Amino acid sequence: MLSIDAIDMDLLITAMEISDTFEAQWWLDPSTGQVEMTSEDAGNSLPAWDLDDHGAVPIPPDDPQRGYRDMRDFIATLDDEQARATLHHAIEGKRPYRRFKDAVYHYPKIRDDWYAFHQKRMRQHAITWLVAEELVDPAEAQEAMAQA
């Protein structure tokens, strides 16, 4: 099993967030914790099928429903009623992520709080995935989530 410290969590989170944005696949090497991207256009050291044959684990894209729940949960933490109403309205229509991002920029302090909240949640999601894939020790994962 890997130690969570051996994994570049920022890169893992980025891979989860953008993996369905490009025609690429992100992988985690379970022996080193290294995160790699493969695509037809990139000059990769190993093609995707070689990574799979060597035991690399494909990193899934983040679940859009989970992202929506994170925005909703964040909005519920806000004391500013006007900001809460504005952000709630933003996620109720089409393109909720884009509208939320546009709306949150009108509130600099709340925007900073959102990014901190979002980073913490994504770290928790990434650690949960690592545990589900049996790549890290559940006790270490629990401790890492408590510190997040």
Side-chain angles (χ1 to χ4, degrees), residues 16-17 20 60-70 97 122 125:
M16 292 177 130
E17 290 185 310
D20 62 349
D62 191 35
D63 176 10
Q65 292 301 318
R66 184 174 48 217
Y68 182 86
R69 285 189 305 273
D70 288 350
Y97 300 99
M122 284 304 300
H125 297 324

Side-chain angles (χ1 to χ4, degrees), residues 10-49:
D10 290 335
L11 186 56
L12 176 59
I13 289 167
T14 298
M16 292 177 130
E17 290 185 310
I18 69 169
S19 66
D20 62 349
T21 306
F22 304 103
E23 292 184 19
Q25 173 65 58
W26 288 84
W27 300 83
L28 178 80
D29 182 332
S31 62
T32 66
Q34 187 171 348
V35 176
E36 295 279 341
M37 181 190 79
T38 59
S39 73
E40 292 181 21
D41 297 336
N44 301 307
S45 58
L46 288 174
W49 64 86

Side-chain angles (χ1 to χ4, degrees), residues 4 7-8 12 29 64 73 81 101 112 122 125 128-129:
I4 289 177
I7 301 166
D8 182 339
L12 176 59
D29 182 332
D73 292 348
E81 287 185 39
K101 188 175 180 180
D112 294 345
M122 284 304 300
H125 297 324
T128 299
W129 175 76

Side-chain angles (χ1 to χ4, degrees), residues 108-127:
K109 168 70 170 96
I110 292 172
R111 180 191 60 220
D112 294 345
D113 293 345
W114 160 248
Y115 283 121
F117 180 92
H118 177 69
Q119 187 65 19
K120 181 177 181 178
R121 280 287 176 98
M122 284 304 300
R123 182 174 170 79
Q124 291 170 343
H125 297 324
I127 292 170

Side-chain angles (χ1 to χ4, degrees), residues 45-94:
S45 58
L46 288 174
W49 64 86
D50 281 349
L51 285 166
D52 191 33
D53 289 345
H54 287 91
V57 179
I59 299 170
D62 191 35
D63 176 10
Q65 292 301 318
R66 184 174 48 217
Y68 182 86
R69 285 189 305 273
D70 288 350
M71 289 186 298
R72 192 183 64 216
D73 292 348
F74 173 73
I75 292 167
T77 69
L78 299 177
D79 293 329
D80 182 329
E81 287 185 39
Q82 180 183 359
R84 193 170 55 239
T86 299
L87 294 176
H88 181 72
H89 178 71
I91 66 171
E92 292 302 312
K94 290 183 180 182

